[in-house]
Amino acid sequence: MMTEGKLKKLPIAISLAALALAGCGDSGSSGGGGGENTGGSRSQIRIVGSSTVYPFSTAVAEQFVRNNPGMKAPIIESTGTGAGFKLFCAGVGTQHPDMVNASRRIKKSEFEDCRKNGVNQIIELPIGIDGLALVQGKNGPSFSLTQADVYKAVAATPFGKPNTAKTWKDVNPSLPAAPIQVYGPPPTSGTRDAFAELIMEKGCDSDPAMKALKESDKDKHKEVCTKVREDGAYVEATENDNLMVQKVAGNPGTVGILGYSFLGENADKVRGIPIGGVMPTSDTISSFEYPGARPLFVYVKGEHLSAIQGIREYISEFAKGWAQNGYLLRRGLIASPADKMGAANQAAKDLKPIDGADLK
């Protein structure tokens, strides 16, 4: 897994001149009505966002260059989902990205920020499914967790009280007496957002009082349910993820949080941890039986479709990759169910902006 908080760039056909060109343009075009005025020209697609989607996006870029002679390779930066949306929503023009990779759906607040800055044509493409996998070293004691176990171990104030748990056994008597140490994504990561929503909040809401709190005070509920410990029990994985895997593999009892697509790459070092008795597998994730299953997205700036050469072709190439027998499945992407894939294929053809009415 490539850390969401650490910038990485696709190392193909990127020159200093192209980078300089990508950053130039009419700064006044970042606001206003949207339109086709991109304030200059740029000969390469620019994509930012999620590190989870990054490997898929780069794989598509390789095919895009191969199948479209004469077109330059896209510039792809792994900025993290949250940071990616900030860049994407900052405005219209060649100084702003054309697309953003996301390991969660765009938030209502981000959609509104886009609109404020003249980005009115936001096209949403669900590319497939990934799982938020919890992993442990293959040489450590095997154990299973529930969402409540994880919440009690990682939350700063589980159920509103300071966290005093030192070992997994403190959380649940059936678990090993190993020190709690969880390596997870930083706040800028969409994986962190997914972890909060799919694991932490669900574990928190196992207490009826917390469910009631959600109705009476949403902000307090969010703080109690999603704020993580700062005493060393939760370690933000801002370093190289291979190092994180090594740490988990070499320290029995430690837990890492990875996208499922990266679990297979390190199967010789780590194994998945069942959540609620369900192992992370392609079948349990595609059916959403596994609690950590989540859809992945790419968002396209409609105002740039005609102005930046290759965007339509790149999207078409992505759709080939996410197909039931597409090459992205060999890279670890899990195909969407037939109905969802049909909708995604249609979205890739129509390129119709979303209205944002159902966003949260």
Side-chain angles (χ1 to χ4, degrees), residues 126-324:
I127 67 166
I129 305 171
D130 185 37
L132 182 72
L134 272 62
V135 302
Q136 61 182 153
K138 293 192 77 170
N139 296 325
S142 179
F143 58 92
S144 178
L145 296 170
T146 65
Q147 289 153 302
D149 289 336
V150 178
Y151 171 69
K152 291 174 187 176
V154 173
T157 54
F159 308 123
K161 299 178 181 178
N163 201 330
T164 60
K166 302 295 183 185
T167 70
W168 288 102
K169 195 174 185 67
D170 294 335
V171 168
N172 184 330
S174 69
L175 296 175
I180 296 169
Q181 190 159 60
V182 176
Y183 293 93
T188 54
S189 167
T191 300
R192 174 75 164 263
D193 292 330
F195 176 65
E197 178 184 351
L198 300 174
I199 307 298
M200 295 286 283
E201 283 194 31
K202 294 294 192 297
C204 180
D205 288 342
S206 64
D207 182 344
M210 293 298 102
K211 274 192 172 182
L213 180 62
K214 189 172 186 176
E215 298 298 322
S216 62
D217 191 337
K218 287 186 178 180
D219 290 339
K220 182 65 174 176
H221 176 269
K222 183 176 181 180
E223 179 182 356
V224 171
C225 291
T226 65
K227 186 177 180 182
V228 300
R229 301 171 69 163
E230 298 177 348
D231 59 358
Y234 183 93
V235 181
E236 290 182 1
T238 54
E239 303 174 15
N240 185 291
D241 287 313
N242 288 325
L243 180 59
M244 183 192 78
V245 169
Q246 290 171 17
K247 287 184 177 181
V248 172
N251 294 278
T254 59
V255 172
I257 301 169
L258 297 168
Y260 174 76
S261 57
F262 299 96
L263 176 57
E265 295 178 9
N266 296 285
D268 59 326
K269 302 181 186 73
V270 295
R271 62 188 171 213
I273 298 174
I275 300 179
V278 181
M279 280 291 289
T281 68
S282 58
D283 288 341
T284 61
I285 291 169
S286 63
S287 66
F288 285 89
E289 180 187 359
Y290 178 68
R294 57 173 177 169
L296 301 176
F297 300 89
V298 166
Y299 290 86
V300 182
K301 193 171 293 177
E303 289 88 348
H304 287 197
L305 275 176
S306 298
I308 305 298
Q309 184 185 28
I311 294 179
R312 294 176 188 275
E313 290 83 355
Y314 181 82
I315 293 168
S316 254
E317 187 58 54
F318 223 131
K320 293 177 190 175
W322 75 48
Q324 188 61 54

